[in-house]
Amino acid sequence: RYYGESFLDQYYNSVSSKHSFALIRNIRFVQLNAVSTSTKLKKYLERMLDAAEVDRRIVSAAIGAFAMWVILLSSVYTLVPDRHWSTLEGAEREVPFMASVALITILVIFCVPFLNFTSNTGRARPSGIVLAGFVVIAISIFTNLLFAFAPTAVMVDPVTGVKCFLIRWCAWIPLAGLMTFMSEAIDMSEQKHGVSTEVVSSFSQLIAATCGLVFPFCPDIRTWGAVCTFAVVTYQNILHRVKRKYDLLKAERKGVTVLEKERYHRRYYAYHLLKLCSIIWTVLVVIFFVNVTLHLHLPEGHALRNESFSMFFDTSFDVLAKGLYLKIILDVHKTVFDSDARVERQFKELRKLMKVLWDSTTDVIIISVKGRERASSVLSPSHQNLFGVDPASIDSEVAASGMLLQTSTNFSGSSAPEVFDSSYIDSHHMQPAEHPTEQIAPIKRDSRKVKIAVDLIQSCWKNLDDTDQKDSILIVHEFVKQSGEICSCEIKLSRRPDSYVAIVRDVTERVKRFKAEQRATAEASARQRDAQSVNRFTRHEVKNGLLSGIELCDRLQRSFQAASNNVDQTVSQTLEKEKYKVIESEMIRTAGMIGQVDQVLHEILDTVLAEAMARDVIYEIYKPSPKKVDLVDALRSSCGGIGIEPRFPLVLPSEELPNLMLDSQLLRYIHRNAISNASKYGKVGGTISTHVCYNVRLEELKVEVVNESGDGHEKLVAMGQKASAAVFQQSTRLHDDPDVGDDVLSSGDGAWIMQKCAKNMGGFCSILFKPEKTKFIFQCRAAPVREGEAGKSSVFELPSNTWGIGIDDSWIQRKLLLRIFSNAGIQHNRKKVLGRNTEELDSVGLLIGALLDEDPDCKVLVLIDENLDFCDENGLRIMKSGSKMMGSFLENMSTLKRDRVLALVRSANDSSGDQADYTRRTHGFCPKTATKKEDFLEILETQWPKRFGSKPKPKINIFDEFDDEEGSISKDDLREVVASVDVLLQGKSFRDIPWSHLWSALHSLKGDIMISENEEFDSAAQAISSMRGSEAPDDFDERWKSIRESVMKGIDDLL
């Protein structure tokens, strides 16, 4: 419920001019919540129709009743034959005349309160129920005047012989319905659908009264009796309604609040008014039946059968009843429907609440009203604390006083409005408006507190003028207190015509805390970003190092294989058989060690990639990449010894498993963690078996990891499904303490991450704790690689005029880029690999532009590393983003040139977010892990038509081996290696340099030149091999000079 009058009336006496009184009085309808009521009362209030709506409905009913009376009266005057018309004489004429005089007197008395004029409230406004009372009296007056001065339609009842005055029934019919409805509607309940009970009750009385008009037209006793019975039955409904009203009144409590009291009064007057109606109609019914009985049983001329008795008793009682009825209606109006009285009652209660709120709230309440030339504003006493006034500097009376300001109305300007008057006012004793409270003390208009108050008031008006919002708005304002402290306040404004109410709250501490939290959050975010950058850079460097190591192992294996072939051909012929066997054994052992190193590097790389993938899965940014997977190889590669060692058996179905479309990284991660958990928490040294099942019809894969029970297993079995569910919850581990309760769990995210990985694949994980074993189950949908797809070879070659440009800061990766371009079918003389220094990076854009200008039909394939790391001449580290740099180059190109370039970013960080950034800046992403020829060509086959709209021409099978030795190293790379040896020898004797350093540089040169088939390179390699030993040969300078000349000559001979 909301009050309709403004609580600002309590401040009439707080303003020091009549002008301000008038301004504040114009503020109406400030919506404030009333004192809260009980839940039961609120429920009742929701059911009872609002008094204003009831008032409106009563007015509609009064208009309908008056219209019905006019229609009935017109019908009687029109339809009744002339023989039934006569002018009443004697008592029958005098009694109605006296009744009309009495009713007019009652009406005048009734209207006096609404004719009174006061300076405070103006002319009282009649409510709907008062207007309905006027209609009741007016109809009765006009009916009695017609009896006294106009011809009257009088018919004799053919059955009873009683005179029937039709004009009186024309009045009683609508009045019966109207008076009943008025009684019923006072406490009318809300009813959303159908006809309300109140309307039914009103119509039942209206119909009962209509039967009185029908009696003269009944031809026989049977018809008359039926009509009479129907009238009595419909009339009795009012008695049941009186009983219902009484029960409701009895159940209602008087209450203590205005709303509770108003509700009780509505119940009270609804009962008493309806009870009066029932008494009136009951007495009239009794008079009717007494008159009928007298006419039926007494002879004509009998004293008790006087024809004037009916008119006398009916008219007299009707006047008495109308007087009593109007008296109660007037009470109902004052108590329930008088809006001014209702507001006054509610206002008195609200005044008490607002007095407490005004004096005791820590927030400052500002009320500002704008007139033509001046604006009056009042601030609650709590402004002293808000403005930073020292309590010791003011007395208690001033401390409990509000502030009144009279200012100009130019709030929209940049300068402050002029202050005409400022003073403290008494806010404890609210006097009537005509007796304003005197000022307690004036305030200097140029004081600091007045300036703060004016600043607040002006800020509020400005914000109201700048917005079109009709509801309340919230603003933030800052000012400097008298103590010099900056105060931040939050102001909630409620707009009213030419006025506003503002609640000002000091939020300085909140703002300080918020700013401190912002700083802390920013610092934490900065630290987190720094940590992420360091971790990202570290992961990148680790991956790059691993990839470089893997490439070196590959090159070492190929070089060792070439050297082994030479040994087999030469050493076996010159050495004895026993010595040869020793050398051969050592060579085999060395080859095995190289293979082990390669395996370890691959395992470490898989672990790093798996951890990076797990991070993306946790943050839900990982996008699975289904590829053709050999399930057995994938499971065996997830952990060492799977399917090989007796402890880790791999149980396969009898049917041959097809290759499946899966994300192998996710599958290996789930399986590796399942094996790890089984090893840690299962039986020490127990068997851990992996069971694989594939449902071809459902295309569903099921992998089970079964281990024997370990310590504390019986408690997990006892927990049942609770343990199975808890395993996959975040920060949950069940095995740390065997005595742990089922509701005390430590941290652990492994199984939770496994579940997220499974969901990423469209599957799920579960676990069963059985008495003698634990079974981990992973299930997901996996489509098989169809037979036609499995053996299909994607055959293609790049156009012959395609240029390959590779950019990387690692010399090993640069060599690998040459091999990748060769695998893609790019001609040797159309390959460019850059990245030795920042100068080469800066020239990439010019190089691409020159190549495109030279051949208008050529296309350029660019592979660029994302993280480029260099050192300048001062040793300072320079890091550049390859994707950003390439994106800048592409933006500076013309559209025609840009359409002939395919730029792919190579990176070891291949999260979905990184890939999206790379694709946005360039044309796509190529992982550094795609070093195998078929992996890269698969990526290229996808990217090329996406970029240029057509697939390359078929030439070779991507699964065939390609001779990658041609062009595997460039002239510049060889010159760089030769220069590294020259740098070591520059200005020094070879004897001053550790032989291990020289031999390492020479061995590296040998490995590079052995890749290319060239006689000069072969002789140089043999010369380097001849220097193998623990010390440098005495003629090293001559040998190096010969080797250098052979290498440089071989470089010049390269195409």
Side-chain angles (χ1 to χ4, degrees):
R1 297 275 299 184
Y2 289 91
Y3 289 113
E5 281 291 329
S6 170
F7 71 89
L8 303 182
D9 287 355
Q10 65 181 305
Y11 301 123
Y12 290 167
N13 57 337
S14 300
V15 188
S16 60
S17 67
K18 293 183 179 180
H19 171 70
S20 300
F21 300 158
L23 292 176
I24 297 181
R25 288 194 53 76
N26 290 331
I27 302 179
R28 288 289 184 260
F29 305 106
V30 176
Q31 295 181 342
L32 289 173
N33 206 331
V35 178
S36 61
T37 59
S38 64
T39 304
K40 182 178 179 182
L41 184 59
K42 287 182 179 179
K43 186 176 180 182
Y44 285 149
L45 284 174
E46 290 174 357
R47 293 178 179 177
M48 188 175 285
L49 201 62
D50 184 71
E53 176 63 19
V54 171
D55 212 37
R56 187 187 64 80
R57 295 189 182 186
I58 290 176
V59 171
S60 301
I63 295 173
F66 185 80
M68 179 180 290
W69 174 68
V70 172
I71 293 172
L72 290 174
L73 191 63
S74 302
S75 301
V76 168
Y77 272 90
T78 304
L79 301 177
V80 175
D82 294 340
R83 66 178 182 274
H84 297 297
W85 289 90
S86 62
T87 301
L88 301 180
E89 297 179 353
E92 290 183 344
R93 181 173 178 273
E94 294 171 359
V95 170
F97 174 74
M98 294 174 62
S100 61
V101 173
L103 288 173
I104 291 173
T105 304
I106 293 173
L107 182 62
V108 171
I109 296 173
F110 189 61
C111 293
V112 167
F114 304 100
L115 300 176
N116 183 34
F117 182 83
T118 63
S119 59
N120 287 335
T121 60
R123 193 182 303 277
R125 292 169 294 181
S127 62
I129 198 168
V130 170
L131 295 176
F134 289 163
V135 171
V136 171
I137 295 295
I139 291 176
S140 297
I141 290 174
F142 279 109
T143 301
N144 286 300
L145 289 176
L146 289 175
F147 281 139
F149 300 106
T152 303
V154 181
M155 295 184 66
V156 178
D157 188 338
V159 176
T160 62
V162 176
K163 280 186 177 181
C164 181
F165 299 95
L166 299 184
I167 294 178
R168 184 177 296 283
W169 288 106
C170 289
W172 280 357
I173 290 173
L175 291 183
L178 176 60
M179 294 172 69
T180 305
F181 181 78
M182 291 165 63
S183 306
E184 292 276 13
I186 293 175
D187 63 342
M188 180 182 289
S189 61
E190 288 185 347
Q191 188 161 338
K192 303 299 182 183
H193 305 286
V195 180
S196 65
T197 306
E198 293 80 3
V199 174
V200 173
S201 176
S202 304
F203 270 98
S204 65
Q205 299 308 306
L206 185 146
I207 293 171
T210 305
C211 293
L213 187 63
V214 176
F215 282 141
F217 300 97
C218 295
D220 52 40
I221 187 65
R222 183 177 298 176
T223 305
W224 193 95
V227 174
C228 181
T229 302
F230 181 71
V232 172
V233 171
T234 54
Y235 155 75
Q236 285 181 349
N237 181 63
I238 195 171
L239 302 179
H240 296 291
R241 291 298 300 164
V242 171
K243 178 64 170 59
R244 174 61 179 165
K245 295 289 184 184
Y246 176 75
D247 293 339
L248 290 175
L249 176 62
K250 196 174 181 181
E252 196 73 42
R253 60 189 182 91
K254 292 185 178 181
V256 293
T257 67
V258 172
L259 294 179
E260 291 173 340
K261 290 179 180 178
E262 179 181 305
R263 179 177 176 81
Y264 176 79
H265 288 147
R266 290 179 69 173
R267 292 290 191 202
Y268 176 84
Y269 285 113
Y271 163 68
H272 284 282
L273 200 59
L274 189 61
K275 183 175 72 172
L276 179 61
C277 283
S278 65
I279 293 173
I280 293 172
W281 302 127
T282 301
V283 171
L284 291 176
V285 169
V286 170
I287 292 174
F288 173 80
F289 279 109
V290 168
N291 191 28
V292 168
T293 302
L294 293 175
H295 278 75
L296 289 176
H297 295 88
L298 296 177
E300 293 184 6
H302 194 279
L304 296 179
R305 195 178 172 181
N306 193 325
E307 299 297 337
S308 301
F309 283 176
S310 175
M311 174 65 75
F312 175 79
F313 285 109
D314 287 347
T315 304
S316 300
F317 186 76
D318 187 58
V319 172
L320 178 63
K322 294 297 192 299
L324 293 174
Y325 193 78
L326 288 182
K327 172 64 173 63
I328 297 178
I329 283 179
L330 189 59
D331 293 340
V332 173
H333 163 74
K334 293 178 180 179
T335 308
V336 178
F337 294 105
D338 185 358
S339 60
D340 292 335
R342 289 179 68 223
V343 170
E344 182 62 28
R345 289 192 300 271
Q346 295 170 346
F347 179 63
K348 286 179 181 179
E349 184 177 65
L350 187 59
R351 186 189 300 273
K352 299 177 184 179
L353 174 65
M354 287 308 303
K355 182 179 181 300
V356 176
L357 179 64
W358 179 263
D359 290 341
S360 61
T361 181
T362 56
D363 298 335
V364 177
I365 303 175
I366 301 178
I367 304 162
S368 184
V369 186
K370 189 189 295 185
R372 293 183 180 178
E373 298 178 354
R374 291 192 176 192
S376 300
S377 304
V378 183
L379 285 76
S380 63
S382 54
H383 74 273
Q384 306 277 11
N385 295 330
L386 181 67
F387 294 171
V389 178
D390 185 7
S393 63
I394 55 177
D395 55 33
S396 58
E397 187 178 15
V398 172
S401 302
M403 178 188 289
L404 171 68
L405 294 175
Q406 299 281 345
T407 63
S408 61
T409 58
N410 59 332
F411 295 110
S412 58
S414 57
S415 59
E418 182 181 357
V419 179
F420 301 123
D421 185 27
S422 57
S423 60
Y424 289 116
I425 57 173
D426 183 9
S427 58
H428 284 281
H429 304 90
M430 298 300 178
Q431 303 297 331
E434 60 270 18
H435 303 292
T437 303
E438 294 182 358
Q439 298 181 359
I440 293 177
I443 309 175
K444 292 182 179 180
R445 286 181 287 178
D446 58 350
S447 62
R448 180 62 189 163
K449 65 178 68 175
V450 171
K451 292 180 180 179
I452 295 174
V454 171
D455 185 34
L456 276 173
I457 296 168
Q458 184 179 20
S459 178
C460 293
W461 278 115
K462 279 186 177 180
N463 281 276
L464 286 174
D465 294 337
D466 294 342
T467 182
D468 295 330
Q469 285 184 271
K470 296 182 179 179
D471 299 329
S472 60
I473 62 173
L474 190 67
I475 64 174
V476 177
H477 182 75
E478 285 190 353
F479 61 87
V480 180
K481 294 184 176 182
Q482 288 192 189
S483 59
E485 180 186 358
I486 296 178
C487 176
S488 299
C489 58
E490 188 178 77
I491 306 175
K492 188 170 185 180
L493 288 168
S494 295
R495 182 198 297 269
R496 295 294 174 266
D498 295 327
S499 63
Y500 68 78
V501 177
I503 308 296
V504 185
R505 175 168 296 176
D506 187 352
V507 294
T508 304
E509 293 300 321
R510 188 200 305 173
V511 171
K512 288 180 179 179
R513 287 195 300 269
F514 178 71
K515 290 181 178 179
E517 290 172 359
Q518 274 189 323
R519 288 194 297 270
T521 303
E523 292 173 1
S525 300
R527 288 194 298 269
Q528 186 177 8
R529 285 195 299 270
D530 292 341
Q532 289 177 350
S533 299
V534 171
N535 290 337
R536 186 176 183 275
F537 176 74
T538 302
R539 287 194 300 268
H540 168 73
E541 293 301 317
V542 170
K543 292 176 186 177
N544 268 346
L546 290 171
L547 292 170
S548 299
I550 292 171
E551 176 62 17
L552 284 174
C553 280
D554 183 60
R555 291 172 60 83
L556 184 58
Q557 283 178 330
R558 289 187 283 110
S559 299
F560 186 77
Q561 184 64 38
S564 298
N565 292 335
N566 292 333
V567 170
D568 289 340
Q569 296 175 2
T570 57
V571 177
S572 61
Q573 299 175 0
T574 58
L575 295 178
E576 296 178 2
K577 187 174 182 180
E578 293 297 328
K579 292 182 178 180
Y580 173 73
K581 286 184 178 180
V582 173
I583 295 174
E584 184 180 28
S585 176
E586 288 296 326
M587 292 174 61
I588 294 173
R589 191 167 67 88
T590 303
M593 293 173 62
I594 295 173
Q596 289 178 0
V597 171
D598 183 69
Q599 181 181 354
V600 170
L601 290 175
H602 274 93
E603 289 177 356
I604 297 174
L605 178 62
D606 288 342
T607 302
V608 173
L609 293 176
E611 292 303 319
M613 177 209 67
R615 179 201 61 186
D616 292 342
V617 169
I618 290 173
Y619 293 121
E620 298 182 352
I621 59 175
Y622 182 81
K623 294 182 180 179
S625 302
K627 295 182 181 179
K628 184 183 71 172
V629 174
D630 186 318
L631 194 60
V632 176
D633 290 344
L635 294 176
R636 283 177 175 170
S637 63
S638 63
C639 295
I642 301 296
I644 300 175
E645 296 182 11
R647 189 190 172 198
F648 301 102
L650 180 61
V651 182
L652 302 175
S654 57
E655 302 84 4
E656 182 180 358
L657 286 171
N659 291 329
L660 303 178
M661 295 299 294
L662 289 170
D663 189 314
S664 59
Q665 260 196 310
L666 290 171
L667 177 64
R668 286 198 299 269
Y669 186 89
I670 295 172
H671 186 243
R672 179 166 57 250
N673 278 272
I675 296 293
S676 174
N677 289 337
S679 300
K680 285 189 290 185
Y681 306 125
K683 180 180 178 181
V684 178
T687 302
I688 302 173
S689 59
T690 302
H691 301 258
V692 181
C693 178
Y694 182 71
N695 190 320
V696 178
R697 183 175 61 84
L698 299 178
E699 296 186 353
E700 184 177 77
L701 171 66
K702 184 177 182 181
V703 179
E704 297 180 354
V705 177
V706 182
N707 64 276
E708 299 177 69
S709 58
D711 294 337
H713 184 78
E714 60 279 358
K715 291 192 174 183
L716 298 178
V717 174
M719 290 171 63
Q721 291 296 327
K722 189 173 182 180
S724 300
V727 167
F728 298 103
Q729 293 177 0
Q730 188 176 9
S731 302
T732 302
R733 181 176 294 152
L734 300 176
H735 296 83
D736 280 353
D737 185 358
D739 296 325
V740 70
D742 57 2
D743 58 346
V744 181
L745 304 173
S746 61
S747 64
D749 291 333
W752 173 67
I753 298 175
M754 293 165 65
Q755 187 70 276
K756 293 184 76 71
C757 290
K759 290 181 179 179
N760 214 300
M761 298 177 69
F764 64 92
C765 296
S766 59
I767 192 167
L768 299 176
F769 295 103
K770 296 187 176 182
E772 296 182 354
K773 61 182 178 180
T774 299
K775 181 186 290 186
F776 170 85
I777 304 170
F778 163 66
Q779 287 181 267
C780 75
R781 298 293 298 273
V785 179
R786 307 301 175 186
E787 185 176 352
E789 298 174 356
K792 182 180 178 180
S793 299
S794 299
V795 291
F796 70 94
E797 73 164 337
L798 296 178
S800 59
N801 61 345
T802 300
W803 283 92
I805 298 179
I807 305 165
D808 204 295
D809 57 346
S810 170
W811 67 275
I812 296 178
Q813 292 294 327
R814 290 198 295 272
K815 292 183 178 182
L816 183 60
L817 284 171
L818 290 170
R819 181 143 54 97
I820 289 175
F821 285 144
S822 297
N823 289 341
I826 297 177
Q827 298 176 15
H828 175 66
N829 59 350
R830 301 183 75 87
K831 293 182 288 187
K832 301 287 184 181
V833 178
L834 310 172
R836 294 169 182 80
N837 48 51
T838 56
E839 289 75 12
E840 287 191 354
L841 293 184
D842 296 336
S843 65
V844 170
L846 297 175
L847 174 62
I848 296 175
L851 294 176
L852 294 172
D853 290 335
E854 182 181 345
D855 185 357
D857 297 326
C858 74
K859 289 181 173 56
V860 178
L861 171 63
V862 181
L863 299 180
I864 184 169
D865 184 32
E866 168 61 16
N867 296 281
L868 300 170
D869 189 8
F870 300 94
C871 289
D872 61 8
E873 61 274 7
N874 298 321
L876 297 177
R877 203 165 200 173
I878 301 174
M879 296 184 64
K880 292 190 176 184
S881 168
S883 61
K884 291 181 179 179
M885 186 179 69
M886 196 64 220
S888 177
F889 290 154
L890 293 173
E891 286 180 0
N892 294 329
M893 290 182 187
S894 64
T895 304
L896 293 177
K897 288 183 178 181
R898 189 165 53 244
D899 291 343
R900 293 156 56 198
V901 177
L902 171 60
L904 302 178
V905 177
R906 298 179 74 240
S907 175
N909 293 318
D910 50 0
S911 69
S912 58
D914 292 333
Q915 292 183 34
D917 290 338
Y918 304 154
T919 304
R920 177 172 50 82
R921 297 166 187 162
T922 58
H923 305 130
F925 168 72
C926 175
K928 279 192 174 181
T929 55
T931 56
K932 294 182 180 180
K933 176 172 48 182
E934 57 268 22
D935 292 338
F936 175 72
L937 291 180
E938 184 178 348
I939 294 172
L940 192 60
E941 186 184 21
T942 302
Q943 295 288 350
W944 190 273
K946 187 187 297 184
R947 177 62 179 156
F948 300 118
S950 61
K951 286 189 175 182
K953 298 177 182 179
K955 181 181 180 182
I956 61 173
N957 191 317
I958 66 170
F959 298 112
D960 292 340
E961 290 297 328
F962 188 90
D963 183 10
D964 60 353
E965 293 188 12
E966 180 185 359
S968 62
I969 187 167
S970 66
K971 295 180 181 181
D972 292 334
D973 289 329
L974 291 175
R975 292 191 182 100
E976 184 176 342
V977 178
V978 172
S980 66
V981 180
D982 291 337
V983 170
L984 287 174
L985 294 171
Q986 186 176 5
K988 297 179 182 179
S989 170
F990 72 90
R991 298 187 186 279
D992 298 332
I993 304 171
W995 172 241
S996 59
H997 292 181
L998 282 173
W999 175 250
S1000 176
L1002 292 171
H1003 193 267
S1004 177
L1005 175 60
K1006 176 186 174 183
D1008 289 337
I1009 62 179
M1010 286 181 64
I1011 295 175
S1012 301
E1013 295 182 359
N1014 186 289
E1015 293 181 0
E1016 297 293 340
F1017 288 162
D1018 291 342
S1019 63
Q1022 291 177 5
I1024 293 174
S1025 298
S1026 66
M1027 290 192 290
R1028 183 186 298 273
S1030 59
E1031 294 181 356
D1034 295 336
D1035 57 347
F1036 175 80
D1037 289 334
E1038 289 78 10
R1039 290 193 186 191
W1040 167 243
K1041 183 177 180 181
S1042 175
I1043 292 170
R1044 191 179 190 283
E1045 289 176 354
S1046 297
V1047 172
M1048 297 306 293
K1049 186 176 180 182
I1051 291 174
D1052 294 335
D1053 292 341
L1054 289 176
L1055 295 176

